[in-house]
Amino acid sequence: MDKLISKLRKAESNGGEVNVEDLLALLKLKDASICPELKRLKQDFNWKAVDNPENEVPLGAWADVICVYYERGFKALYSIAIQHTRLLGIVLGVCEEIKTEESLKTVFSLFEFFIQDKNDLINAKKSVLTINLMISFDNKINFTDKLKADLLDLLYLFINTVDTEYNSDEGMIIAGYCVIRRVGNKDTIEFIKKRPKLKDEGGAGLESIVIKAIKKNLSNNK
């Protein structure tokens, strides 16, 4: 711990650059005792909040959210994300870095809140994109069948809502499809086949990729 904190202080003192990745590395320590010193660094070097007039990277907000996680856990992360949505991206980034079943459930709960309670598709999409990053590139998280089914139901709701309220915005549909390829079932394949084909460059042909991935997952789980 001391080495990482000292490295951050030395970088700032010598006019170097501290970035978000340097702060995220502190999450690997799994040590809440870093928080007093991290808060001191924020104060000493005037790390900024989000939406600061200087338009600087909000290292202060990242430090705050990391300390919230260490001191009060995932429930507190969820609470600050829904109460102060300008911090949502930082909360999602912390959950993505931790990348455990519990952090995935926290992001799922945020997705659920924004799509069901607030009908806020912009922030729902941010949650979907984070879920995709957490589950798509390795099998580190073995989420339960219930979470998988619940996530699939929310993805259907998300995509259908995008159709009705965002004129089938393809960027949002693509985000939903990227996650649905890991949690879809046979009914999902029919759901996708019945939908209009994606036309934008980033989505053309994605339906076939998603259906192929779902079939592979179903075959592997037999």
Side-chain angles (χ1 to χ4, degrees), residues 38-53:
L38 186 56
K39 292 174 183 177
R40 196 170 294 117
L41 281 171
K42 173 193 168 184
Q43 182 176 358
D44 290 348
F45 296 106
N46 192 28
W47 286 350
K48 303 299 182 183
V50 292
D51 304 325
N52 60 84

Side-chain angles (χ1 to χ4, degrees), residues 42-94:
K42 173 193 168 184
Q43 182 176 358
D44 290 348
F45 296 106
N46 192 28
W47 286 350
K48 303 299 182 183
V50 292
D51 304 325
N52 60 84
E54 298 87 351
N55 200 30
E56 293 182 17
V57 175
L59 294 178
W62 280 94
D64 288 342
V65 171
I66 288 170
C67 288
V68 166
Y69 162 68
Y70 271 129
E71 294 172 343
R72 293 189 281 146
F74 287 110
K75 288 184 179 179
L77 287 184
Y78 172 83
S79 294
I80 64 170
I82 64 174
Q83 293 169 12
H84 307 285
T85 53
R86 68 188 187 283
L87 295 174
L88 174 63
I90 296 175
V91 170
L92 293 174
V94 168

Side-chain angles (χ1 to χ4, degrees), residues 198-216:
L198 296 170
K199 298 176 181 178
D200 289 352
E201 182 178 351
L206 181 59
E207 294 93 350
S208 297
I209 295 172
V210 172
I211 289 171
K212 183 177 179 180
I214 293 171
K215 288 180 177 178
K216 182 178 180 181

Side-chain angles (χ1 to χ4, degrees), residues 169-188:
D169 179 272
E170 289 207 359
M172 290 186 173
I173 301 297
I174 289 169
Y177 277 8
C178 286
V179 177
I180 217 167
R181 62 181 169 163
R182 280 293 307 275
V183 299
N185 55 31
K186 290 181 180 179
D187 291 337
T188 311

Side-chain angles (χ1 to χ4, degrees), residues 56-196:
E56 293 182 17
V57 175
L59 294 178
W62 280 94
D64 288 342
V65 171
I66 288 170
C67 288
V68 166
Y69 162 68
Y70 271 129
E71 294 172 343
R72 293 189 281 146
F74 287 110
K75 288 184 179 179
L77 287 184
Y78 172 83
S79 294
I80 64 170
I82 64 174
Q83 293 169 12
H84 307 285
T85 53
R86 68 188 187 283
L87 295 174
L88 174 63
I90 296 175
V91 170
L92 293 174
V94 168
C95 288
E96 179 192 339
E97 183 68 21
I98 296 169
K99 202 172 186 179
T100 61
E101 183 177 341
E102 193 171 4
S103 71
L104 176 62
K105 287 180 178 178
T106 301
V107 180
F108 168 83
S109 295
L110 288 168
F111 177 32
E112 186 175 39
F113 172 79
F114 286 117
I115 187 62
Q116 285 190 334
D117 294 358
K118 290 296 183 181
N119 196 29
D120 179 347
L121 271 72
I122 300 299
N123 285 319
K125 178 186 175 184
K126 292 177 183 177
S127 304
V128 170
L129 290 171
T130 299
I131 292 171
N132 181 49
L133 290 171
M134 295 178 76
I135 71 173
S136 289
F137 301 108
D138 58 49
N139 294 316
K140 182 177 178 181
I141 301 175
N142 295 314
F143 45 98
T144 64
D145 289 341
K146 182 181 186 308
L147 179 58
K148 187 181 293 187
D150 289 345
L151 177 54
L152 183 57
D153 286 342
L154 278 185
L155 289 166
Y156 289 148
L157 175 61
F158 175 72
I159 291 170
N160 288 331
T161 307
V162 170
D163 284 342
T164 58
E165 299 195 16
Y166 267 77
N167 196 28
S168 299
D169 179 272
E170 289 207 359
M172 290 186 173
I173 301 297
I174 289 169
Y177 277 8
C178 286
V179 177
I180 217 167
R181 62 181 169 163
R182 280 293 307 275
V183 299
N185 55 31
K186 290 181 180 179
D187 291 337
T188 311
I189 293 174
E190 296 306 312
F191 171 78
I192 292 173
K193 286 180 177 179
K194 292 176 182 177
R195 291 186 50 76

